[in-house]
């Protein structure tokens, strides 16, 4: 049973527009969430995090929103750039336990 | 952020030989490190959790005698692929947790001929 889901395997967005990557989870005990970006043949790179005590965290072009009641979080990238084309993973942890990763969403930003 | 390194970044070996991959946390200590495998166009697959000073915890379906993990210090974990075969060819990634964030190494591409 997948505790962390990323239901869109891929997403295409025009350069300059907003990219919205979604992540849903089933475990209500999850209290800390991370987003990673991964290029081919490289390890994932940490992007941004959010704690369950917040509903939004912003870092430059990246904003993560958390809706605890819906068990849903999303990563917004605006404006999207071609260099943002990568696979994005969300991850969740409960009480400092090991992170559970979603299957990833491949983002393609078209010039 | 914290830095995790892996060595080697790419290794090619003959079938039947063993290959060791090192994972180091460069600027922090990690009691727990993780080993992942990624097949082409697929997600990360957690293989095992490496615990400093004790035995690794393997995920279901991962052969512990095939993938030997040693976490001898707070900054080093090693993964040894024993008697490697072509089906072991893959991209192996380690990670380590520093407080609330898990940091990943750059990965090691293993090709078994």
């Amino acid at each position: 049973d997948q505790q962390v889901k990323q239901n869109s395997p891929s997403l295409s967005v025009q350069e300059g527009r907003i990219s919205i990557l979604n992540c849903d989870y089933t475990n209500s005990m999850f209290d800390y969430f991370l987003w990673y970006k991964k290029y081919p043949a490289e390890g994932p790179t940490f992007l941004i995090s959010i704690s369950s005590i917040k509903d939004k965290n912003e870092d430059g072009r990246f904003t993560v929103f958390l809706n605890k009641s819906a068990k849903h979080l999303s990563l917004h990238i605006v404006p999207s750039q071609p260099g943002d084309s990568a696979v994005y993973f969300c991850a969740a942890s409960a009480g400092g336990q090991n992170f559970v990763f979603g299957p990833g969403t491949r983002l393609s930003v078209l010039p | 952020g914290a830095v995790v390194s892996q060595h080697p970044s790419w290794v090619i070996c003959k079938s039947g030989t063993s290959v060791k991959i090192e994972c180091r946390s460069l600027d922090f200590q990690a009691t727990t490190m993780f080993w992942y495998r990624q097949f082409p166009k697929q997600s990360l697959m957690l293989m095992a959790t490496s615990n400093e000073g004790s035995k690794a915890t393997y995920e279901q379906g991962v052969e512990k005698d095939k993938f030997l993990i040693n976490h001898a210090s707070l900054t080093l974990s090693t993964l040894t692929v024993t008697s490697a075969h072509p089906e072991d060819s893959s991209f192996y990634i380690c990670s380590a947790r520093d407080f609330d964030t898990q940091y990943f190494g750059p990965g090691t591409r293993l090709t078994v001929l």
Side-chain angles (χ1 to χ4, degrees):
Chain A
D1 179 37
Q2 264 192 332
Q3 294 189 71
V4 178
K5 303 176 186 180
Q6 292 176 257
N7 293 320
S8 298
S10 64
L11 173 69
S12 292
V13 171
Q14 209 69 36
E15 180 179 4
R17 305 295 288 269
I18 184 171
S19 295
I20 300 176
L21 298 131
N22 294 305
C23 179
D24 296 286
Y25 59 96
T26 57
N27 188 344
S28 58
M29 300 301 291
F30 285 148
D31 57 7
Y32 201 76
F33 305 88
L34 308 175
W35 279 96
Y36 290 87
K37 171 182 178 180
K38 186 184 182 302
Y39 292 119
E42 293 184 15
T45 302
F46 167 71
L47 275 177
I48 193 168
S49 64
I50 190 165
S51 163
S52 60
I53 62 172
K54 299 175 116 178
D55 53 20
K56 177 183 174 181
N57 189 24
E58 192 172 349
D59 184 1
R61 296 187 298 114
F62 301 93
T63 303
V64 56
F65 295 91
L66 175 62
N67 183 332
K68 289 185 289 294
S69 60
K71 296 193 186 70
H72 175 84
L73 67 156
S74 60
L75 175 68
H76 292 211
I77 306 173
V78 56
S80 301
Q81 300 172 353
D84 296 328
S85 297
V87 177
Y88 289 79
F89 295 95
C90 66
S93 167
Q97 298 301 308
N98 291 346
F99 281 98
V100 179
F101 285 80
T105 297
R106 182 175 301 277
L107 172 66
S108 299
V109 180
L110 309 173
Chain B
V3 179
V4 176
S5 71
Q6 273 183 252
H7 177 80
S9 57
W10 200 343
V11 57
I12 301 173
C13 68
K14 290 184 178 179
S15 185
T17 61
S18 294
V19 174
K20 180 187 283 188
I21 303 170
E22 292 186 350
C23 176
R24 294 181 186 271
S25 56
L26 296 186
D27 47 4
F28 66 102
Q29 293 183 329
T31 55
T32 304
M33 291 185 174
F34 306 89
W35 287 96
Y36 294 83
R37 182 173 177 176
Q38 184 179 31
F39 294 98
K41 298 185 179 179
Q42 292 189 28
S43 182
L44 301 171
M45 184 193 83
L46 178 63
M47 298 174 66
T49 301
S50 170
N51 305 298
E52 188 268 336
S54 65
K55 291 182 179 180
T57 306
Y58 289 82
E59 296 299 303
Q60 193 172 12
V62 178
E63 299 175 61
K64 58 183 70 177
D65 294 330
K66 172 77 171 174
F67 300 98
L68 300 179
I69 291 173
N70 184 281
H71 193 156
S73 79
L74 288 171
T75 59
L76 173 65
S77 174
T78 60
L79 168 68
T80 301
V81 183
T82 62
S83 187
H85 287 95
E87 58 265 31
D88 298 324
S89 298
S90 192
F91 192 61
Y92 294 87
I93 309 173
C94 73
S95 74
R97 185 161 180 163
D98 181 25
F99 297 105
D100 286 332
T101 304
Q102 194 168 318
Y103 295 95
F104 286 83
T108 297
R109 167 76 58 197
L110 170 63
T111 301
V112 184
L113 303 177

